[in-house]
Amino acid sequence: MNRVQSKDGTSIAFTRRGEGPALILVDGALCYRESGPNEPLAEQLAPQFTVYTYDRRGRGESDQAGPYAIEREVEDIAALIGEAGGSAFLYGISSGAALALEAASRLPSVRMLALYEAPFVVEGSRPPVRDDYAAVMNRLLAAGKRGAAVKHFMRRGVGLPAFAVAIMPMMPAWKKLKAVAHTLPHDTMLTADYQRGKPLPAGQWSGAAVPTLVVYGGKSPAWLQAGMKSLAGVLPNAGLRMLEGETHIVKPGALAPVLASFYQESRRG
């Protein structure tokens, strides 16, 4: 394990593997290096890239020096880019895609950007996230009800059906999910403004002018597909790609070749 210090003193734990241009993978809600999709994806990409996976602040082996702000997470990515030599490609999944988008908007050291299914709710195929969603989440966590907070996220944030949420405590990963439940408000701050069932604001990410690939699964819910189509339409330099047969739980073997081709072709172009 390696560490890099962020601007506010937070120690960020990361893993580096492979050879080639630097590529940083950003996890979504409740995920970190020991529990999430980016470690298997990194293994697929390592033959062509120097791939960095890391524990977002407050998760896994990373600490958190002070109060949370989106700017602090962007500074964490900036510190990793510095460790990688001063520039890097960036990829994010789910709410990690929202974070990667913020980083690309603010950091000129991001060379290219790929995003998989940021959880933006822009139309009516599912209910928007409720106005009291964040307040309820904060109350549950303040009361020490981590399991209830995870269920609240899955039911009201992700939109899973009630029966699926009810059986989650029987899953092997339940303990790991509860262990990082306190970071759910971080992901809420990254996504809540774009989960109201309204079109994404034009110009919101005008700073993210690097070549960008927006990807969604062909079997993902309609609201996720609509959000990604909307996002590709408001970004300055974005292409859109659908992965046939994939869902929000995308298979690394299906995604890795698409990412590798994008980064390599855009570099040649």
Side-chain angles (χ1 to χ4, degrees):
M1 182 192 66
N2 305 282
R3 289 190 176 275
V4 65
Q5 185 167 298
S6 193
K7 185 177 180 180
D8 72 344
T10 294
S11 177
I12 300 297
F14 71 92
T15 299
R16 177 174 48 223
R17 54 169 67 80
E19 294 185 5
L23 169 59
I24 297 171
L25 309 185
V26 185
D27 273 317
L30 299 174
C31 295
Y32 52 107
R33 286 176 302 155
E34 288 189 6
S35 180
N38 278 344
E39 291 297 308
L41 179 61
E43 293 291 345
Q44 296 269 339
L45 292 166
Q48 299 171 78
F49 304 93
T50 302
V51 187
Y52 292 76
T53 54
Y54 73 104
D55 294 337
R56 285 173 55 187
R57 58 175 48 217
R59 310 180 189 193
E61 295 180 287
S62 292
D63 59 32
Q64 182 169 317
Y68 180 81
I70 292 172
E71 289 80 6
R72 302 294 82 77
E73 286 226 79
V74 172
E75 289 167 359
D76 299 345
I77 291 173
L80 286 164
I81 292 175
E83 181 73 17
S87 66
F89 303 144
L90 202 56
Y91 162 78
I93 182 169
S94 196
S95 55
L99 175 54
L101 186 54
E102 291 292 334
S105 298
R106 307 177 195 205
L107 300 175
S109 50
V110 175
R111 296 170 58 191
M112 299 171 65
L113 176 66
L115 308 168
Y116 191 83
E117 292 195 347
F120 297 157
V121 183
V122 300
E123 41 82 84
S125 63
R126 64 152 279 181
V129 172
R130 291 163 45 167
D131 291 342
D132 66 349
Y133 171 78
V136 172
M137 176 72 72
N138 291 334
R139 285 199 298 271
L140 291 171
L141 291 170
K145 298 179 178 179
R146 287 174 172 259
V150 173
K151 289 183 177 182
H152 177 63
F153 164 71
M154 293 296 182
R155 183 75 177 106
R156 301 301 177 191
V158 177
L160 291 182
F163 76 87
V165 175
I167 65 172
M168 290 193 75
M170 293 182 277
M171 296 170 54
W174 181 246
K175 187 182 234 182
K176 290 183 177 180
L177 297 179
K178 289 200 300 179
V180 291
H182 62 284
T183 64
L184 284 169
H186 305 175
D187 298 276
T188 300
M189 288 182 66
L190 284 160
T191 59
D193 287 346
Y194 317 112
Q195 296 180 313
R196 308 297 189 193
K198 299 177 182 178
L200 296 174
Q204 179 68 29
W205 300 286
S206 58
V210 295
T212 301
L213 180 65
V214 178
V215 190
Y216 65 92
K219 287 190 175 180
S220 290
W223 67 271
L224 276 170
Q225 297 192 30
M228 291 304 89
K229 292 173 185 177
S230 177
L231 179 60
V234 301
L235 293 179
N237 190 13
L240 183 66
R241 176 72 182 267
M242 185 266 283
L243 292 185
E244 190 71 42
E246 293 301 317
T247 67
H248 195 59
I249 312 300
V250 61
K251 293 191 260 324
L255 180 60
V258 173
L259 296 180
S261 177
F262 164 66
Y263 293 126
Q264 291 165 346
E265 288 179 11
S266 293
R267 287 174 66 209
R268 288 195 294 266

